[in-house]
């Protein structure tokens, strides 16, 4: 798998007037945050030249103002890679529900590591019980999902690296926040 298939390489100007996440109400709302871990990993590696982010900072950022937060991380893993198993366990201990599956090694030696379908199905199943959906990804494949959620009255926000987040995804949501604006996201 190459980075361009999972991380939109379109260069975007910095978003000057981003709408902050969770500005729809002064009352606590039910928020579901869904993280495309593979896409986030590839984008952060490309944009920030590092492979790790502070997932606790992401929880704190989205769960601010007393909102109820259901956080789910979607990831593929190699069952023989202890650091990947440890990472998934750490996410679970932070309060994330972790949806995972084994990497698929294809006959030509390439690796398939996509959780897009699982993530979309989970979001559609959870949406009726949520007021706001926060997608943490830069993948433009989620733009039709964001459009559909908006048509059903859900507020949809995206958090992603602004230079590598799909323009279609940004246009399809109610608010976009550059990942670098999340306090402490790069602090490890």
């Amino acid at each position: 798998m190459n980075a361009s298939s999972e991380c939109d390489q379109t260069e975007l100007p910095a978003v000057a007037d981003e709408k902050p996440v969770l500005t729809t109400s002064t009352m606590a709302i039910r928020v579901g945050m869904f993280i495309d871990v593979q896409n986030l990993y590839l984008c952060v590696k490309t944009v920030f030249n590092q492979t790790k982010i502070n997932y606790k900072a992401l929880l704190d950022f989205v769960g601010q103002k007393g909102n109820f937060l259901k956080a789910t991380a979607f990831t593929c893993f190699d069952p023989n890679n202890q650091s990947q198993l440890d990472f998934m366990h750490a996410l679970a201990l932070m309060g994330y529900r972790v949806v995972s599956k084994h990497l698929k090694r294809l006959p030509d030696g390439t690796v398939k590591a996509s959780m897009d379908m699982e993530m979309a199905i989970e979001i559609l199943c959870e949406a009726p019980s949520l007021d706001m959906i926060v997608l943490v990804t830069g993948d433009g494949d989620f733009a039709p999902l964001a459009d559909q959620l908006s048509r059903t009255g859900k507020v949809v926000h995206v958090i992603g690296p602004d230079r590598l987040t799909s323009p279609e995804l940004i246009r399809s949501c109610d608010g976009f926040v550059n990942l670098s604006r999340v306090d402490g996201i790069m602090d490890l």
Side-chain angles (χ1 to χ4, degrees):
M1 170 178 43
N2 63 39
S4 64
S5 67
E6 285 291 320
C7 188
D8 192 319
Q9 296 292 318
T10 306
E11 291 286 329
L12 295 175
V15 180
D17 56 346
E18 296 173 2
K19 297 181 219 172
V21 169
L22 310 179
T23 60
T24 60
S25 172
T26 56
M27 297 174 48
I29 58 174
R30 298 168 301 170
V31 179
M33 178 172 61
F34 303 90
I35 302 175
D36 181 353
V37 172
Q38 182 67 15
N39 176 267
L40 196 56
Y41 169 83
L42 292 170
C43 289
V44 166
K45 185 176 179 180
T46 301
V47 173
F48 301 106
N49 201 27
Q50 66 183 61
T51 58
K52 295 181 181 178
I53 64 167
N54 183 344
Y55 283 86
K56 176 74 170 88
L58 203 52
L59 273 176
D60 294 343
F61 181 76
V62 176
Q64 64 188 332
K65 300 181 185 174
N67 293 314
F68 170 77
L69 176 63
K70 178 179 177 70
T72 308
F74 296 83
T75 188
C76 291
F77 69 100
D78 177 347
N80 298 317
N81 185 322
Q82 189 60 45
S83 67
Q84 290 177 0
L85 297 170
D86 292 344
F87 169 70
M88 290 188 308
H89 186 65
L91 287 175
L93 290 174
M94 279 182 238
Y96 286 94
R97 177 171 176 263
V98 179
V99 178
S100 62
K101 69 179 179 185
H102 293 187
L103 294 168
K104 291 183 182 176
R105 299 198 187 279
L106 302 178
D108 66 359
T110 59
V111 175
K112 183 173 173 23
S114 176
M115 294 288 292
D116 290 1
M117 184 62 71
E118 291 84 351
M119 188 167 153
I121 290 169
E122 178 88 8
I123 292 167
L124 289 171
C125 290
E126 294 290 336
S129 64
L130 300 170
D131 301 308
M132 177 183 288
I133 288 94
V134 178
L135 304 174
V136 184
T137 184
D139 190 342
D141 290 345
F142 290 104
L145 176 64
D147 284 334
Q148 176 59 29
L149 292 165
S150 290
R151 282 192 292 275
T152 63
K154 302 301 174 184
V155 176
V156 181
H157 285 271
V158 170
I159 300 174
D162 85 14
R163 288 188 6 229
L164 296 179
T165 299
S166 160
E168 292 80 14
L169 182 59
I170 292 171
R171 289 191 299 263
S172 69
C173 68
D174 298 299
F176 172 77
V177 174
N178 183 348
L179 185 66
S180 65
R181 296 248 179 127
V182 175
D183 287 336
I185 195 69
M186 295 299 167
D187 299 342
L188 298 173

